[in-house]
Amino acid sequence: MNSNDTTQHVPAQLIIASRESRLAMWQATHVRDRLAALYPQCQIDILGMTTRGDQILDKTLSKVGGKGLFVKELEVAMADGRAHLAVHSLKDVPMELPEGFELAAILEREDPRDAFVSNDFDSLTALPAGSIVGTSSLRRQALIAARYPQLVIKPLRGNLDTRLGKLDRGDYAGIILAAAGLKRLGLTRRIRAYLEPDESLPAAGQGAMAIEILSDNTAGSHFSATVRALLAPLNHTPTAQAVLAERKVSQVFGGSCQVPLAAHATVDGDTLHLRAMVATPDGRRSAYAAASGPAALPEAVGEQVAQKLAAQDAAGILAECKAAAAGDA
């Protein structure tokens, strides 16, 4: 569909489904404003929703159903016709989407790094032995445990403001958060140190935003085609290529919140560089792999890195992860 066709098929209204956290609403508002600038004749509204992932805060995601808890209600809203698209943090999106849904656009990535946040210390290295560090991620837990065995790692759930509130109450000496969320909400001043990818390899999709829509094999597929065309200008090809490679690694290993898995890709011209890691939650066992290849074939590069991890007994590491998760259940 060319731009003229798109203009002719702009609907009178689009509704964006979003979680109601401050960060999620920032993301939905960002997408709304970008679309409004492209299609001023369209009224664009946001449907705020509370998801199961937002409601269950006393358990880690790995124990209550994983990433899908943050997107299910938004998908139901689209299936019911209450919304036409949903905006997600890509690292919250399961590697396998339910039948009838697709990712229509990946926006340009914000800073993919992890960030160390503390009121009293400048870095993880500066924390005294026995200090409590909060993180919601088994990936971060594994990386911290491997490098800083003297620290105590405790779960940290809730939206960004809730996590910062727990730090400010003194529950933790420091916490690890995604730099992207802090930057998007104007909270860069809270960051005491950035954890470079060499120290803390990011999660697949970290820092990227994704827009999900109904796919063509669902009812109203003609409208899906229209929405897909409207979203096309928001897609950032280098970011989309990078995250496709990252998500492929995670997909091969059944990526979920029960698996401490990291994957981070960068695109340099026509070449994509990908690094990935899988580890046990305690950080005692890990495997790292890297590969480069054509940016136009991101999933092939992801498959290559996954094979390298498999050659380092990634299956054995993952089996240990699942056994540990079963024991904690």
Side-chain angles (χ1 to χ4, degrees), residues 15 69 76 132 178 227 295 309 316 318-319:
I15 300 174
L69 291 178
V76 170
I132 298 173
V227 175
L309 289 173
L318 295 176

Side-chain angles (χ1 to χ4, degrees), residues 49-326:
M49 307 181 70
T50 300
T51 69
R52 287 271 291 162
D54 297 309
Q55 294 167 347
I56 304 173
L57 299 178
D58 58 344
K59 297 179 181 178
T60 60
L61 280 179
S62 59
K63 296 177 183 176
V64 294
K67 299 173 184 292
L69 291 178
F70 288 121
V71 301
K72 179 63 177 175
E73 282 87 349
L74 309 187
E75 290 170 341
V76 170
M78 287 189 285
D80 289 349
R82 289 177 288 137
H84 306 111
L85 59 145
V87 178
H88 308 297
S89 292
L90 184 57
K91 68 183 178 68
D92 292 334
V93 178
M95 299 305 151
E96 300 285 354
L97 294 180
E99 186 175 355
F101 295 91
E102 65 178 77
L103 297 182
I106 307 294
L107 280 68
E108 184 172 4
R109 189 174 225 156
E110 181 46 279
D111 192 330
R113 292 175 293 179
D114 288 328
F116 174 73
V117 180
S118 175
N119 294 320
D120 302 305
F121 302 95
D122 289 333
S123 65
L124 283 166
T125 305
L127 291 174
S131 296
I132 298 173
V133 179
T135 174
S136 61
S137 157
L138 285 181
R139 173 190 62 85
R140 292 175 181 144
Q141 176 183 322
L143 291 163
I144 296 168
R147 284 180 172 264
Y148 305 96
Q150 75 277 17
L151 301 178
V152 177
I153 304 165
K154 290 195 175 177
L156 176 65
R157 287 292 318 283
N159 62 42
L160 188 56
D161 291 315
T162 298
R163 296 181 196 192
L164 289 170
K166 291 178 179 179
L167 171 71
D168 293 340
R169 285 204 310 267
D171 296 351
Y172 304 87
I175 60 178
I176 309 296
L177 300 170
L182 291 162
K183 288 187 170 186
R184 285 173 174 143
L185 290 183
L187 297 171
T188 305
R189 67 187 184 281
R190 297 298 304 258
I191 299 173
R192 298 296 286 266
Y194 292 97
L195 305 183
E196 297 300 330
D198 286 344
E199 179 182 2
S200 186
L201 198 62
Q206 185 160 314
M209 291 162 50
I211 304 177
E212 184 181 17
I213 65 171
L214 292 172
S215 56
D216 287 339
N217 59 351
T218 56
S221 59
H222 64 285
F223 195 72
S224 294
T226 298
V227 175
R228 186 185 302 105
L230 295 174
L231 294 174
L234 274 60
N235 190 65
H236 185 250
T237 298
T239 299
Q241 291 169 332
V243 301
L244 271 173
E246 295 164 6
R247 286 171 64 84
K248 183 62 177 181
V249 178
S250 191
Q251 185 181 36
V252 168
F253 294 110
S256 72
C257 291
Q258 296 181 356
V259 178
L261 187 146
H264 178 58
T266 56
V267 174
D268 181 13
D270 295 332
T271 303
L272 183 146
H273 307 281
L274 173 65
R275 289 185 294 161
M277 175 222 70
V278 62
T280 54
D282 58 15
R284 287 186 301 104
R285 293 184 64 195
S286 62
Y288 283 82
S292 298
L297 299 172
E299 291 187 308
V301 182
E303 186 73 45
Q304 185 180 354
V305 169
Q307 290 175 3
K308 289 185 175 183
L309 289 173
Q312 299 177 54
D313 194 29
I317 293 172
L318 295 176
E320 195 170 325
C321 294
K322 291 173 182 175

